[in-house]
Amino acid sequence: LRALQVMAHAWSQDHVVLVEPDELRLARARAELYPTLWASWADLGEALSNTGDPEGAIRAYNEALARSPEEGRALAGRLRVFTDWKLSTGEVMARQALEVAPLSPEVVIAAAAALEAAGKAPDAAAALDAAWDALPGDRLLRRARESRGMSLEMPTAYPPRR
């Protein structure tokens, strides 16, 4: 799991002042300046997840997806929130993401992790196999398959001769 960033703090004689990390402060500012861009909301989702606000992260990723429903980075980011924070609906979200973007390596890998976290390792392997068949040799898929001990053999275009 990704390590959480700790909120920075500044001491004075009487009290502690909490200050948002720069990553979060800048992401909020981009989302306010560019509210119609999916990327500004995806950045905010990542920053919120990294600083310990999974519910806020999901809301931000949902805003990104409202602007660009098939955007792989936003779909994968939202799935990582479900997986990293062990949220109960991760499996459902993974299956939905695979329907929307079955050929996005980033989405397939994030969905596989969510499925594995939900105890559905065979379904995760099947998603990785389908993506590998469609995108043989993709470097992200190769790394994901290798880390799981899956075959890196390239699929053949034709059935073997008899």
Side-chain angles (χ1 to χ4, degrees), residues 14-160:
D14 305 310
H15 58 284
V16 174
V17 178
L18 293 179
V19 179
E20 284 186 336
D22 287 343
E23 173 192 18
L24 181 56
R25 186 177 49 75
L26 293 172
R28 282 188 201 281
R30 278 191 302 273
E32 288 174 15
L33 279 171
Y34 306 105
T36 60
L37 298 179
W38 70 265
S40 60
W41 290 101
D43 291 344
L44 180 57
E46 183 175 352
L48 287 166
S49 182
N50 288 344
T51 55
D53 184 0
E55 293 84 11
I58 290 170
R59 284 191 302 274
Y61 280 121
N62 286 341
E63 289 290 335
L65 292 167
R67 286 151 181 78
S68 184
E70 296 178 10
E71 180 51 52
R73 186 172 141 226
L75 285 165
R78 184 173 65 176
L79 286 172
R80 282 190 293 273
V81 173
F82 280 96
T83 303
D84 292 351
W85 291 92
K86 298 177 176 46
L87 302 178
S88 62
T89 55
E91 177 187 355
V92 172
M93 300 308 290
R95 293 184 191 286
Q96 288 175 356
L98 287 170
E99 287 178 18
V100 172
L103 298 181
S104 166
E106 189 176 17
V107 171
V108 172
I109 292 164
L115 290 168
E116 289 165 342
K120 305 291 184 182
D123 294 346
L128 288 167
D129 283 341
W132 186 250
D133 287 344
L135 303 166
D138 179 87
R139 68 178 176 80
L140 294 176
L141 292 171
R142 174 180 287 280
R143 247 185 298 171
R145 292 175 66 80
E146 190 172 41
S147 72
R148 290 166 172 84
M150 297 176 75
S151 169
L152 298 178
E153 186 176 322
M154 300 295 258
T156 57
Y158 302 100

